[in-house]
Amino acid sequence: MQNNAHAPNGKTAWRLIELETRPAAENMALDEACMEAIAANRAPPTLRFYRWCPSAVSIGYFQSLSQEVYLDKCRERGVDVVRRRTGGGAVYHDHAGEITYSILAPEKHFPSGIGESYVHICNYLIKGLSLLGIDAQFAPVNDVVVNGQKISGNAQTRSKGILLQHGTLLFDLDAGTMFDLLNVSKEKIKDKFIQSVNKRVTSVTHQKPGLSIEQVYGAIKSGFVHDKPVHAGAWTPTELERCRELAREKYANPDWTDLR
Amino acid sequence: MPIGFSEFKSPGGKLVKAEATCTKDACKVKITGDFFLYPEETIHALENSASGPLPKNVDAVQKQLEITLGLYQAQLYGIAPKEIAQTIWEAVQRAK
């Protein structure tokens, strides 16, 4: 499928990569490989959903690895560590407790303002959560919250006219592991010390106990695809080849991970 | 060489940290945090613009940052140039 493929109604056809599970370096490499493919008109706008195995910590492009992550504890627990190409904060991606999405398309598909584009894309997530009976809102600058508690963090980058936004949806919260692995700045949480993590962060299972991750994925996917023609698709051989290259040479490379 | 640190949390919750390694009359600045900057690679130019001869005041730091952002047509999101400048300024003062 080419970037300029259209559905019968003239709207651009999107490719959907259904929920898949990969290691951290591959997950980040696929985002970059897909951006490159779209920029070269070798792939259509793409929506993908994924999980992380092994569980992983990702840090934002501008963060200091040594200041944000307890590397020894990650090693002890077999948790991957990867630096994202997007800004934002450190995230613990629990294999069993999170669904991640990426949306990648030429910038013309989104509002031009950064804040407006965050709202636009996060509204897909909010729509999906509403299908589960969860009333969520966008919380500037890049979060989605339920009753003020964070349920999703999102990060965006733009390159060669292509916008990438990826974000998390907390399905189940393992706050203990999260805070064993992440070195949360005292400045960052100084005004929140009196609140427990469980009061600042929430998850789908906390809001709606009993839902399976498949049910949640189905609803979130519906939220993202409701306004666009989407076709289930697959990575191209070129994208997979580029993914392997980027995973090996960049995202699994300590020089990149310890860049700052 | 003396090293100074400072960090600042913006009203929107984004954090910026500055590390300044200084001699008697010059400094080298590193900026980290969970803010957003497009394009991301501009961070190196921002660090270079804040490094060099010791700044006279916080306004001078801010002006350098804003000039660099303009040159690279870069945009900060979640943090303001003024907030980064203040953080750098404090780090430099603590390194003296």
Side-chain angles (χ1 to χ4, degrees):
Chain A
M1 192 185 290
Q2 294 300 301
N3 197 8
N4 58 0
H6 288 84
N9 62 4
K11 281 190 171 182
T12 302
W14 286 62
R15 173 178 59 170
L16 169 67
I17 306 290
E18 297 271 11
L19 189 64
E20 59 179 2
T21 301
R22 293 178 182 272
E26 284 186 25
N27 276 333
M28 294 298 92
L30 274 170
D31 275 351
E32 186 162 344
C34 183
M35 277 186 96
E36 291 176 356
I38 296 171
N41 206 33
R42 292 196 310 265
T46 298
L47 180 60
R48 62 177 292 230
F49 296 92
Y50 50 103
R51 298 168 72 184
W52 308 63
C53 189
S55 298
V57 168
S58 76
I59 60 170
Y61 182 88
F62 307 107
Q63 291 190 295
S64 161
L65 176 67
S66 59
Q67 289 179 23
E68 302 296 335
V69 184
Y70 295 121
L71 289 170
D72 288 348
K73 289 182 180 172
C74 289
R75 273 192 285 272
E76 281 171 21
R77 290 171 176 258
V79 169
D80 276 353
V81 179
V82 69
R83 180 179 297 275
R84 301 189 306 270
R85 62 172 298 168
T86 53
V91 182
Y92 171 58
H93 306 276
D94 187 80
H95 170 64
E98 185 192 293
I99 296 172
T100 314
Y101 76 86
S102 295
I103 185 166
L104 309 100
E107 291 182 50
K108 67 181 181 185
H109 289 274
F110 308 99
S112 58
I114 294 169
E116 290 81 359
S117 60
Y118 269 105
V119 171
H120 180 89
I121 296 169
C122 288
N123 275 340
Y124 294 131
L125 201 58
I126 290 166
K127 169 86 173 169
L129 287 168
S130 75
L131 298 174
L132 297 168
I134 298 172
D135 183 20
Q137 296 87 35
F138 179 72
V141 296
N142 60 321
D143 292 337
V144 173
V145 300
V146 177
N147 296 324
Q149 297 171 284
K150 180 173 176 174
I151 198 166
S152 165
N154 304 272
Q156 191 181 110
T157 187
R158 297 163 190 235
S159 175
K160 297 176 182 170
I162 309 303
L163 185 152
L164 155 68
Q165 182 170 312
H166 47 205
T168 60
L169 177 67
L170 263 177
F171 171 69
D172 197 11
L173 176 62
D174 183 354
T177 300
M178 184 187 297
F179 276 77
D180 274 352
L181 303 177
L182 304 182
N183 182 13
V184 178
S185 162
K186 289 182 173 60
E187 182 71 22
K188 179 94 178 173
I189 60 171
K190 70 177 182 184
D191 56 348
K192 298 172 181 171
F193 263 130
I194 53 172
Q195 303 176 45
S196 72
V197 173
N198 287 317
K199 285 184 180 172
R200 293 193 296 115
V201 181
T202 190
S203 64
V204 172
T205 54
H206 185 253
Q207 295 294 321
K208 292 283 174 183
L211 290 173
S212 69
I213 200 162
E214 290 78 16
Q215 287 173 305
V216 175
Y217 169 55
I220 297 307
K221 182 170 63 173
S222 297
F224 272 89
V225 306
H226 78 277
D227 67 342
K228 55 179 84 66
V230 175
H231 305 284
W235 300 115
T236 66
T238 306
E239 285 172 312
L240 289 172
E241 174 71 19
R242 181 65 175 142
C243 163
R244 283 189 286 271
E245 186 178 49
L246 283 166
R248 185 178 62 246
E249 295 180 5
K250 182 174 179 179
Y251 291 102
N253 185 332
D255 290 345
W256 168 259
T257 311
D258 201 17
L259 187 67
R260 304 184 66 72
Chain B
M1 281 185 287
I3 299 176
F5 298 94
S6 181
E7 62 181 62
F8 173 82
K9 190 175 78 165
S10 74
K14 292 293 151 193
L15 191 73
V16 61
K17 302 178 183 181
E19 177 186 312
T21 306
C22 297
T23 61
K24 193 177 68 174
D25 49 15
C27 65
K28 184 170 175 54
V29 170
K30 182 178 176 185
I31 306 164
T32 59
D34 63 357
F35 53 88
F36 295 93
L37 169 66
Y38 309 103
E40 286 80 2
E41 293 77 12
T42 313
I43 192 69
H44 306 294
L46 286 180
E47 288 175 335
N48 287 338
S49 75
S51 300
L54 292 177
K56 289 190 174 67
N57 52 49
V58 66
D59 291 342
V61 181
Q62 183 179 340
K63 189 175 179 185
Q64 282 300 319
L65 295 177
E66 288 174 342
I67 288 171
T68 304
L69 289 168
L71 275 175
Y72 287 82
Q73 297 182 306
Q75 278 183 279
L76 283 165
Y77 182 66
I79 199 90
K82 184 177 184 178
E83 294 164 336
I84 296 182
Q86 182 66 35
T87 311
I88 292 170
W89 173 252
E90 288 173 7
V92 170
Q93 299 312 302
R94 288 169 187 170
K96 282 182 178 176

